[in-house]
Amino acid sequence: MEKEDLKIVNRGLEDEMELSGYRLCRWKLVLVGLGGLCTGGFLFLLLYWMPEWCVKATCTRTAVRDAEVALLRSTDEFKRWFRARVRIMLAPGKNPYDNLASQTASPQANDHAHNPSDSAPEKITRIQGDQHVQIRYFTLHSTKYFWNDTIHNFEVLKGLEDLSMTCSSVHSKHSLGLNKNQQEYRRFFFGLNEIDVKVPSLFKLLIKEVLNPFYIFQLFSVILWCTDEYYYYAMAIVVMSFISIATSLYTIKKQYVMLHDMVATHSTVRVTVYRGDNETEEALSTDLVPGDVIVIPSNGIIMPCDAVLICGTCIVNESMLTGESVPVTKTDLPNPQQDKKGGDGDTIYGTEEHKRHTLFCGTNVIQTRYYTGEMVKAVVVRTGFSTAKGQLIRSILYPKPTDFKLYRDAYLFLLCLVAVASIVFVYSLVMKILNQEPVKEIIVKSLDIITITVPPALPAAMTAGIVYAQRRLKKVGIFSISPQRINICGQLNLVCFDKTGTLTEDGLDMWGIQRTEDGRFHHSEEKADDKSLVTTKFVSCMATCHSLTKIEGQLSGDPLDLKMFEATGWILVEATEEETAQHDRIELTYVKPPNQLLPPPVISPEQDMELSELYELSASYMIGIVRQFSFSSALQRMSVVVRQIGERRMDAYLKGAPEVVASLCKKESVPEDFAEVLEDYTKQGFRVIALAHRRLESKLTFHKVQNINRDQIEKNMDFLGLIVMQNKLKTETPGVLEDLRRANIRTVMVTGDNMLTAISVARDCGMIQPQDRVIIADALPPKDGQAAKINWHYADKPGKPSNKPTKLEEMEIIMDDGHSETRPQEQYHFAMSGKSFAVIIEHFQDLLQKLVLHGTVFARMAPDQKTQLVETLESVDYFVGMCGDGANDCGALKRAHAGISLSELEASVASPFTSTTPSITCVPNLIREGRAALITSFCVFKFMALYSIIQCLSVALLYSIGSNLGDFQFLFIDIAIILLIVFTMSLNSAWKELVARRPPSGLVSVPLLFSVLTQILICLGFQIMGFLLIQKLDWYSKPDFYNCSAPHMDNSTNSGTKEERIMNDVNTTLFFVSSFQYLIVAVVFSKGKPFRQPSYKNWPFVLSTLIVTIFLFFIMFVPISGIYQFLELVCVPLSWRVAMVLIVLGNTLVSVFIETVVLDVILWKHVFSRDKQGSYGVSPAGPTPQEGMELYGTKCLSWLCCRRRKVPKARYMHLAQELSVDPDWPPKPKSTTEAKPGPHPDDCSYHIEAVS
């Protein structure tokens, strides 16, 4: 493609795509039409399956701006192709944000009257001369792309965020709303405000399903079999396909209906739209466009769009998006222009950066708080699929394909079968020609070989193991919306855990408080509800600095806030609407201590004497919360402005991360030993929160406080002390992590908590062993001309110091098979904060992968940083699992190979797996089932491969004598043996414990190929043995020799009727031998331990195998005329039947020996596993003489099997090898690593040098 004609859309986003333009070409269309007719429609199907070929075959290349057809290719690893028809819309203007006083009439589009969603305003006032402009657009994945002449590319109009508006401009330019004309004009571009999940009709789904390449192949097979009069088998395949299609249609339709119902429940509601000058009107939520101002009703609403609050406060339940059902307080967007200092702190508005002021689509507004006489108003920012909920639904409707080696290898496997089929096809063609058979017979029989080699039951057989695993997971409370990922869970070798609510209990228990006075710490105190403390600023801060609210009389809010407030023993009172109206102020929340805790009241000199009637109220020490600055994970703090009833001046209280709070306090108020005391608590695993207070100036009035910036409040504070809270480990956490450690599955903690607390919890739960070192990477960004640098220091010394040099390369680099003879005395773990992680990502890219290789604790991580960490771990070829409680983990849960949400709420839609039991016991359960499902998939693949090859060999041998298998023989083999065995061999449940070895990740691995190829050779050998032996026997061509009631045909000729050609001694011999071979390979491939329960515990499989075996032996030795005629068999002498039994027994013994002794014992233990350990750079200690002999034997076997030690494929193994020989790794204590810009100005890489 020419570079200038190639555009990039959604640059830098997850759905980034390359775009090229095409114009329809008439002569190409004619040629394609003729080609389709000549190939019986096959060319049309091929172009339907391949969008790229379709566009290139019917169009010519053109400039993107003139395109009629857009061809897009994703830039991710999947390189998927999409095509879209470019349409033209006639509209009054090109920019939806233009404030056009008068606009033109309804839009028109080529091909269709343009429906922006697909609906258009019916009427807009006319512009002079009825001028219209043409706007080109196309729709892909429920997203509209409009041509932009300025950037010469297509772009997505998301909403008001496109304007990059500042917080102050939201208030100044967008707070008055839109008039009717403006609203209708914008609807041209943004369409209806709805997340329209269209449920396709059954007919559409049927056509889409039937046009699947596999069903087309089945249709070809059925037509071919009918031509050859194989009606019964053809009918059986038709019935199987019908059941498969019906099941698939039912499942897909059900998923669409569920998703549609979930979205449609609250998608259309009546809203009050503000039109300026205090005018409002009722409208449907579908009519909203970005820029509209809506009034939030006091009794709440399910938000139909994303909107930013510009007036008032809302209490919102965001469980649909975050998975956390704790109500969140949303405040109005700060207006920096109203601040006294002007535009200080005016920032660009963004939904993520200002999420504490944004009401998201689908979230439930429970209550509103407001000024008397004023409405709680919000500006609509995004509508439809651009909203947070819309993007979530889009990710479900159009998921990324699952990238897993097994599925890639599956296609390779099918290609191999097709290659085998082609060889046998040519062979059969030659044999038929040599036998001078009719042309029709030659074509039909030769094509029949292809249908035999590629098994029609393969997809059904492959999904059986996954379906059974899904059912077993359901029984232990794990639900999946992406069953294909169960197989991937079998490969997980690293699991990231959120801390709070996942590894530890959800709630925090109050351990104690440590107050300060005159810059010195008091002794720690156990209770905060003591009479002597009730009037202190410390307790007042605990009682007021929170976001609690009363919902239906019950205190509700963040669990930490709840515990803290309950510890004070105070009472929360919310003013009624009538009280608010009397005082003409915002609806206040009051807190007060119970009267029995209060000392006698003392009137201060500053008390407002005019409010003497409130003396009784002030005696009860009531404090009103005037303004709340919500907790921000970015700022790691929250604050409130309060006023004690009867006081003129207000107070500000602050709580948050100790380091942050201390930095906002006057230096003299922070104790000198603050860092030591804090470290002492965090090392013990306590959660520590710091409190601070500030007396505000008397000139700050009530209304000024409502508009002040939080930075003006949160400074020059007085440090009050520390609240110490205990976050207990869940009882099952250490056991589960120990199981994972024994299974060589790395565990990583990703938390928003304090670094030292996280390290302490990691030690307590066994994630970091007592003797292991923890190296903290403290990265600092460039400052004052100095380069970015990382300061390394060791958190604490290991419990068991060792004088020996540390073998650091081992740490947690997981071995697939885990038989590590020697473990180093000491290992090391990196720990870092979110800030350091951000600096390392930006300035130390080369170091990042080395750090995550040994990184165990990631503290103070923001939600997007959790996702970045998962992506980084995946970039070094780890199979990553993520387990979180849903809050702040949604991005990481979606990005990981296997995301496990411990939340049962709607947010679990974002996670492939959801556990109903809120504990991490689900993780080993999921991995065990994943491994079992993966091994089942391999077993089924191997079995189906052997089934195809065995049947193909039988048919090829029979073709050589002008014979074939009979219709009912095929039917018996495919239905009575293959389907029965496949669906029962998949029933083995998972092994009871996790072992230190992972199953192979793909079909193209030496053990699997060795297994399949050896079994093919064995089956081929014994079939040929039977085929040749029978033809050398004296009675082979003597019909008089037979003495049995069953039919017998003369073998002396190959000519005659079809029945005569099928019913012969060779056919009967190969039928019996091959039927037993199917059972033999089923038994040897149906592996049990260490990933699945032994096959003898799978009673349906054992029973099925026994029944088929007994039946085959029965009809072999008791020839019943009816059965023989049905299966088109002939009766052979007893001596040959005994000989067949001996052939079958020989086949069984050789197959079992090769699979269980040679492969599972000798090769696995001495070649594959040890050689793989070599890949990790694990160097065992010097061997004993016996070990030396064993090692010598291993080397010989490795040489025999051509298993030279190579550079490992996985990036993390390769890095482990490099680091094992690096003398400067890990960094020494108290050393510094600096990032220096490269020698070339254009070179953005960094030269890393260590500075001690």
Side-chain angles (χ1 to χ4, degrees):
M1 288 184 183
E2 296 169 22
K3 208 73 179 171
E4 59 270 20
D5 284 340
L6 196 67
K7 305 288 184 183
I8 302 290
V9 292
N10 304 326
R11 190 182 289 276
L13 300 177
E14 196 177 12
D15 53 352
E16 181 181 277
M17 291 177 286
E18 292 172 349
L19 166 68
S20 47
Y22 286 84
R23 186 183 291 278
L24 286 168
C25 176
R26 287 182 184 176
W27 65 266
K28 282 190 174 184
L29 285 167
V30 171
L31 281 179
V32 167
L34 289 171
L37 290 171
C38 294
T39 56
F42 182 71
L43 181 61
F44 296 144
L45 279 171
L46 196 62
L47 297 181
Y48 170 77
W49 295 329
M50 311 292 287
E52 180 199 7
W53 294 7
C54 179
V55 172
K56 289 181 177 177
T58 57
C59 305
T60 52
R61 192 68 186 273
T62 186
V64 173
R65 65 167 299 132
D66 303 320
E68 293 176 0
V69 177
L71 181 65
L72 300 104
R73 188 176 76 156
S74 64
T75 56
D76 57 17
E77 65 271 29
F78 303 106
K79 308 293 180 193
R80 292 169 297 158
W81 290 93
F82 308 101
R83 68 171 181 267
R85 183 75 186 273
V86 177
R87 303 187 184 281
I88 296 172
M89 173 176 83
L90 296 177
K94 288 192 174 183
N95 188 345
Y97 306 112
D98 283 347
N99 187 14
L100 304 179
S102 57
Q103 301 291 322
T104 180
S106 56
Q108 301 159 21
N110 64 340
D111 304 331
H112 299 285
H114 166 60
N115 299 309
S117 189
D118 282 294
S119 87
E122 293 175 6
K123 187 179 171 187
I124 294 184
T125 51
R126 282 192 182 277
I127 198 167
Q128 299 168 9
D130 197 18
Q131 294 170 358
H132 290 89
V133 287
Q134 287 190 347
I135 297 173
R136 306 176 76 85
Y137 74 97
F138 66 88
T139 307
L140 182 71
H141 293 166
S142 302
T143 303
K144 273 213 169 76
Y145 294 80
F146 290 94
W147 177 258
N148 186 327
D149 280 325
T150 309
I151 61 171
H152 299 290
N153 197 359
F154 284 94
E155 65 172 353
V156 179
L157 296 176
K158 291 180 179 171
L160 288 189
E161 283 177 294
D162 297 336
L163 297 173
S164 300
M165 55 190 180
T166 60
C167 294
S168 57
S169 71
V170 173
H171 286 274
S172 61
K173 295 179 182 176
H174 299 281
S175 59
L176 296 176
L178 305 173
N179 59 40
K180 276 267 187 181
N181 281 349
Q182 289 171 323
Q183 188 190 51
E184 287 173 350
Y185 172 54
R186 286 194 183 179
R187 209 174 301 132
F188 276 122
F189 299 90
F190 294 104
L192 287 180
N193 172 34
E194 61 182 0
I195 301 167
D196 187 17
V197 179
K198 289 176 181 168
V199 180
S201 65
L202 275 173
F203 179 74
K204 274 188 180 176
L205 286 174
L206 179 66
I207 295 298
K208 193 175 179 182
E209 191 71 17
V210 167
L211 291 181
N212 182 300
F214 170 71
Y215 290 119
I216 295 298
F217 175 72
Q218 280 197 333
L219 180 66
F220 161 74
S221 304
V222 167
I223 292 168
L224 187 70
W225 292 329
C226 289
T227 309
D228 202 27
E229 298 176 11
Y230 285 175
Y231 299 120
Y232 297 105
Y233 187 48
M235 283 307 296
I237 291 298
V238 167
V239 170
M240 276 170 54
S241 300
F242 178 78
I243 293 168
S244 175
I245 290 169
T247 309
S248 181
L249 287 183
Y250 172 76
T251 309
I252 294 168
K253 181 88 173 174
K254 189 180 173 186
Q255 286 174 345
Y256 268 112
V257 169
M258 280 174 64
L259 193 59
H260 177 268
D261 291 348
M262 187 185 99
V263 173
T265 313
H266 306 290
S267 63
T268 306
V269 291
R270 291 205 73 81
V271 290
T272 305
V273 183
Y274 182 76
R275 295 292 182 203
D277 299 326
N278 286 330
E279 284 184 23
T280 60
E281 69 173 31
E282 292 286 313
L284 284 175
S285 58
T286 49
D287 293 334
L288 294 175
V289 294
D292 272 329
V293 174
I294 56 171
V295 177
I296 312 295
S298 58
N299 59 344
I301 188 176
I302 303 282
M303 286 301 294
C305 57
D306 288 355
V308 57
L309 266 176
I310 53 168
C311 183
T313 307
C314 293
I315 296 162
V316 186
N317 184 332
E318 291 191 320
S319 62
M320 202 288 296
L321 291 178
T322 64
E324 194 172 81
S325 57
V326 174
V328 180
T329 301
K330 302 277 184 164
T331 55
D332 52 350
L333 187 73
N335 186 359
Q337 283 191 351
Q338 287 191 8
D339 183 14
K340 274 195 168 182
K341 299 201 174 181
D344 285 0
D346 202 0
T347 56
I348 301 293
Y349 169 77
T351 49
E352 188 57 39
E353 295 79 3
H354 296 92
K355 62 184 178 185
R356 287 288 174 180
H357 315 291
T358 306
L359 304 170
F360 292 103
C361 179
T363 58
N364 184 8
V365 178
I366 304 166
Q367 285 181 4
T368 61
R369 295 175 180 175
Y370 48 88
Y371 289 104
T372 306
E374 288 205 35
M375 296 170 278
V376 177
K377 292 182 291 190
V379 179
V380 176
V381 179
R382 297 185 299 199
T383 58
F385 276 102
S386 295
T387 61
K389 184 178 179 181
Q391 287 167 357
L392 180 63
I393 300 302
R394 274 186 70 232
S395 70
I396 298 166
L397 282 173
Y398 313 104
K400 266 193 172 184
T402 309
D403 181 33
F404 188 38
K405 199 168 183 289
L406 171 68
Y407 304 129
R408 294 199 302 272
D409 288 354
Y411 292 110
L412 200 62
F413 164 80
L414 286 172
L415 284 174
C416 290
L417 289 182
V418 169
V420 171
S422 304
I423 295 165
V424 184
F425 171 78
V426 173
Y427 162 79
S428 63
L429 203 64
V430 172
M431 292 305 297
K432 295 287 179 188
I433 292 167
L434 289 175
N435 288 336
Q436 295 181 345
E437 296 194 15
V439 176
K440 182 195 169 187
E441 189 78 3
I442 291 171
I443 294 168
V444 170
K445 290 296 180 187
S446 300
L447 288 173
D448 194 30
I449 282 288
I450 296 170
T451 67
I452 289 167
T453 315
V454 182
L458 183 63
M462 281 304 299
T463 53
I466 295 170
V467 170
Y468 296 146
Q470 196 176 5
R471 283 183 186 170
R472 288 194 296 269
L473 286 171
K474 210 170 182 178
K475 285 180 184 174
V476 292
I478 300 170
F479 296 88
S480 172
I481 60 164
S482 181
Q484 292 300 323
R485 284 184 185 255
I486 295 174
N487 271 339
I488 301 178
C489 294
Q491 278 296 304
L492 294 185
N493 53 2
L494 184 146
V495 184
C496 297
F497 292 98
D498 182 34
K499 183 179 80 70
T500 310
T502 304
L503 297 174
T504 59
E505 295 290 352
D506 217 352
L508 291 160
D509 294 321
M510 193 78 177
W511 182 84
I513 59 172
Q514 190 144 12
R515 295 182 299 124
T516 59
E517 199 172 326
D518 301 326
R520 287 194 304 275
F521 276 117
H522 282 268
H523 290 295
S524 59
E525 296 157 281
E526 227 177 284
K527 292 185 177 180
D529 58 355
D530 193 86
K531 271 190 178 183
S532 60
L533 301 176
V534 75
T535 56
T536 60
K537 297 293 180 192
F538 189 93
V539 172
S540 298
C541 183
M542 286 177 70
T544 56
C545 199
H546 54 70
S547 57
L548 300 177
T549 186
K550 276 195 172 177
I551 298 173
E552 295 177 1
Q554 289 291 316
L555 264 184
S556 184
D558 186 275
L560 186 144
D561 286 350
L562 213 51
K563 280 280 180 196
M564 191 175 76
F565 183 73
E566 285 170 355
T568 63
W570 285 40
I571 301 157
L572 184 134
V573 183
E574 288 186 337
T576 62
E577 286 187 36
E578 291 77 18
E579 289 170 336
T580 309
Q582 285 170 9
H583 294 95
D584 190 30
R585 58 178 64 156
I586 200 165
E587 186 178 315
L588 285 183
T589 299
Y590 299 94
V591 291
K592 62 176 185 178
N595 290 332
Q596 63 267 26
L597 289 179
L598 281 170
V602 178
I603 300 173
S604 73
E606 289 180 325
Q607 204 161 21
D608 189 355
M609 297 313 292
E610 292 177 15
L611 298 173
S612 56
E613 69 270 21
L614 293 174
Y615 173 77
E616 194 179 340
L617 193 61
S618 69
S620 63
Y621 201 76
M622 187 179 268
I623 303 174
I625 300 169
V626 177
R627 177 98 193 262
Q628 212 179 69
F629 296 101
S630 300
F631 176 79
S632 161
S633 51
L635 299 174
Q636 296 178 9
R637 63 181 186 263
M638 83 162 286
S639 59
V640 288
V641 176
V642 303
R643 183 161 74 173
Q644 187 175 335
I645 300 300
E647 295 280 340
R648 284 186 184 277
R649 288 168 69 179
M650 299 186 204
D651 296 278
Y653 289 113
L654 173 76
K655 76 164 185 196
E659 307 93 332
V660 174
V661 172
S663 69
L664 298 170
C665 290
K666 297 172 190 167
K667 281 191 178 176
E668 61 272 18
S669 70
V670 181
E672 288 180 10
D673 58 346
F674 165 76
E676 290 81 4
V677 171
L678 176 62
E679 188 174 348
D680 188 47
Y681 281 128
T682 51
K683 274 185 182 177
Q684 295 175 60
F686 291 117
R687 175 87 178 265
V688 183
I689 294 156
L691 306 182
H693 163 261
R694 177 183 160 201
R695 189 86 164 144
L696 296 178
E697 300 81 6
S698 55
K699 62 183 177 183
L700 269 177
T701 64
F702 180 84
H703 285 285
K704 279 181 183 174
V705 165
Q706 298 308 319
N707 299 310
I708 200 168
N709 194 304
R710 72 186 295 169
D711 295 337
Q712 303 301 314
I713 297 287
E714 297 168 347
K715 63 180 184 181
N716 297 325
M717 311 288 283
D718 291 313
F719 192 78
L720 292 177
L722 305 171
I723 299 174
V724 185
M725 305 193 90
Q726 200 170 17
N727 195 194
K728 292 176 183 172
L729 277 177
K730 289 183 178 178
T731 49
E732 61 276 5
T733 295
V736 169
L737 294 181
E738 177 59 24
D739 289 346
L740 295 174
R741 192 181 67 82
R742 279 203 302 265
N744 278 332
I745 295 170
R746 257 189 77 187
T747 50
V748 171
M749 185 190 294
V750 192
T751 177
D753 207 343
N754 173 282
M755 166 84 75
L756 294 174
T757 303
I759 292 171
S760 170
V761 171
R763 283 203 184 279
D764 291 346
C765 67
M767 199 175 273
I768 297 173
Q769 295 297 301
Q771 71 276 13
D772 296 353
R773 283 195 178 277
V774 177
I775 305 168
I776 294 177
D778 184 18
L780 303 170
K783 193 178 180 183
D784 301 330
Q786 292 185 337
K789 60 182 179 180
I790 304 174
N791 295 321
W792 309 96
H793 56 273
Y794 286 30
D796 47 12
K797 291 193 177 178
K800 296 178 183 176
S802 171
N803 297 323
K804 297 179 184 179
T806 309
K807 290 179 81 175
L808 296 158
E809 69 273 15
E810 168 68 343
M811 196 252 169
E812 293 198 4
I813 310 303
I814 298 136
M815 287 181 287
D816 286 355
D817 10 65
H819 303 299
S820 171
E821 288 86 356
T822 308
R823 288 185 69 83
Q825 293 299 309
E826 278 182 15
Q827 298 173 355
Y828 65 98
H829 305 254
F830 286 115
M832 67 190 78
S833 66
K835 284 180 182 175
S836 296
F837 185 72
V839 172
I840 290 165
I841 278 186
E842 190 176 350
H843 300 285
F844 296 90
Q845 269 293 336
D846 295 341
L847 208 57
L848 179 64
Q849 292 188 340
K850 294 179 183 178
L851 287 171
V852 298
L853 196 69
H854 294 259
T856 301
V857 175
F858 295 85
R860 297 281 189 227
M861 294 286 275
D864 58 325
Q865 288 179 322
K866 291 183 180 184
T867 310
Q868 284 176 324
L869 174 64
V870 169
E871 287 171 349
T872 307
L873 289 165
E874 288 177 353
S875 72
V876 290
D877 299 334
Y878 274 115
F879 282 92
V880 182
M882 172 74 198
C883 183
D885 58 1
N888 300 327
D889 299 322
C890 283
L893 288 168
K894 279 173 68 178
R895 188 68 186 85
H897 288 109
I900 311 153
S901 168
L902 302 186
S903 161
E904 289 185 68
L905 299 157
E906 272 183 297
S908 60
V909 170
S911 175
F913 300 96
T914 305
S915 173
T916 52
T917 49
S919 78
I920 62 169
T921 49
C922 61
V923 175
N925 285 337
L926 186 60
I927 296 172
R928 286 189 306 105
E929 287 296 350
R931 288 179 173 186
L934 190 55
I935 288 296
T936 299
S937 295
F938 290 139
C939 292
V940 169
F941 251 114
K942 286 160 70 178
F943 177 68
M944 295 303 280
L946 263 293
Y947 149 61
S948 299
I949 300 298
I950 290 167
Q951 197 168 75
C952 191
L953 292 172
S954 302
V955 171
L957 289 171
L958 288 170
Y959 274 9
S960 68
I961 60 162
S963 183
N964 196 2
L965 288 172
D967 196 355
F968 288 104
Q969 287 176 345
F970 277 122
L971 199 65
F972 175 79
I973 290 167
D974 284 306
I975 306 295
I977 299 181
I978 304 305
L979 287 186
L980 190 65
I981 295 299
V982 158
F983 288 120
T984 54
M985 81 186 293
S986 303
L987 283 167
N988 288 41
S989 54
W991 184 243
K992 58 194 174 201
E993 59 188 39
L994 279 174
V995 294
R997 193 174 102 194
R998 286 188 301 150
S1001 61
L1003 289 165
V1004 185
S1005 65
V1006 176
L1008 276 163
L1009 290 176
F1010 177 86
S1011 173
V1012 170
L1013 292 173
T1014 51
Q1015 292 302 329
I1016 286 173
L1017 291 172
I1018 292 163
C1019 292
L1020 174 66
F1022 281 98
Q1023 273 203 43
I1024 291 173
M1025 184 193 294
F1027 177 75
L1028 295 175
L1029 278 176
I1030 191 171
Q1031 295 183 66
K1032 290 186 178 178
L1033 296 173
D1034 297 337
W1035 51 265
Y1036 175 64
S1037 55
K1038 296 177 183 175
D1040 304 343
F1041 189 85
Y1042 294 91
N1043 185 21
C1044 41
S1045 58
H1048 171 70
M1049 293 291 172
D1050 188 356
N1051 296 279
S1052 58
T1053 177
N1054 287 331
S1055 60
T1057 64
K1058 179 183 168 182
E1059 288 76 12
E1060 288 171 339
R1061 293 202 307 274
I1062 289 169
M1063 295 178 71
N1064 58 62
D1065 298 329
V1066 177
N1067 169 290
T1068 302
T1069 300
L1070 291 180
F1071 170 77
F1072 278 117
V1073 171
S1074 64
S1075 294
F1076 279 111
Q1077 283 180 337
Y1078 300 131
L1079 296 172
I1080 292 163
V1081 293
V1083 170
V1084 296
F1085 284 162
S1086 190
K1087 299 281 178 71
K1089 195 176 170 183
F1091 303 118
R1092 304 197 305 168
Q1093 292 289 349
S1095 292
Y1096 61 78
K1097 288 190 177 181
N1098 179 357
W1099 65 264
F1101 174 68
V1102 174
L1103 199 63
S1104 304
T1105 311
L1106 281 173
I1107 288 169
V1108 176
T1109 306
I1110 291 165
F1111 176 75
L1112 286 171
F1113 275 123
F1114 175 75
I1115 63 170
M1116 185 190 283
F1117 287 101
V1118 185
I1120 298 167
S1121 183
I1123 294 174
Y1124 268 52
Q1125 282 178 352
F1126 178 77
L1127 291 174
E1128 299 176 86
L1129 300 171
V1130 297
C1131 186
V1132 292
L1134 182 63
S1135 59
W1136 182 241
R1137 283 177 254 167
V1138 172
M1140 281 196 288
V1141 171
L1142 292 174
I1143 289 171
V1144 168
L1145 282 173
N1147 192 338
T1148 307
L1149 290 171
V1150 175
S1151 291
V1152 170
F1153 176 78
I1154 292 293
E1155 190 73 18
T1156 57
V1157 179
V1158 176
L1159 179 66
D1160 288 353
V1161 177
I1162 299 171
L1163 294 179
W1164 254 119
K1165 286 192 176 177
H1166 297 293
V1167 180
F1168 303 139
S1169 63
R1170 289 198 182 181
D1171 194 56
K1172 197 168 276 189
Q1173 283 181 30
S1175 302
Y1176 284 84
V1178 179
S1179 43
T1184 61
Q1186 291 84 355
E1187 287 172 336
M1189 289 295 290
E1190 194 179 350
L1191 194 64
Y1192 178 75
T1194 299
K1195 285 181 179 177
C1196 291
L1197 278 166
S1198 298
W1199 179 80
L1200 285 169
C1201 294
C1202 305
R1203 293 277 296 165
R1204 289 182 302 129
R1205 293 187 178 185
K1206 296 180 259 185
V1207 174
K1209 287 181 184 176
R1211 176 83 182 134
Y1212 70 89
M1213 297 186 212
H1214 185 68
L1215 281 169
Q1217 276 190 348
E1218 285 181 3
L1219 296 179
S1220 66
V1221 293
D1222 186 347
D1224 298 324
W1225 194 262
K1228 304 292 182 288
K1230 297 181 181 176
S1231 63
T1232 301
T1233 301
E1234 287 189 0
K1236 302 273 187 189
H1240 304 293
D1242 298 332
D1243 185 9
C1244 59
S1245 62
Y1246 286 83
H1247 171 64
I1248 297 167
E1249 57 178 46
V1251 182
S1252 294

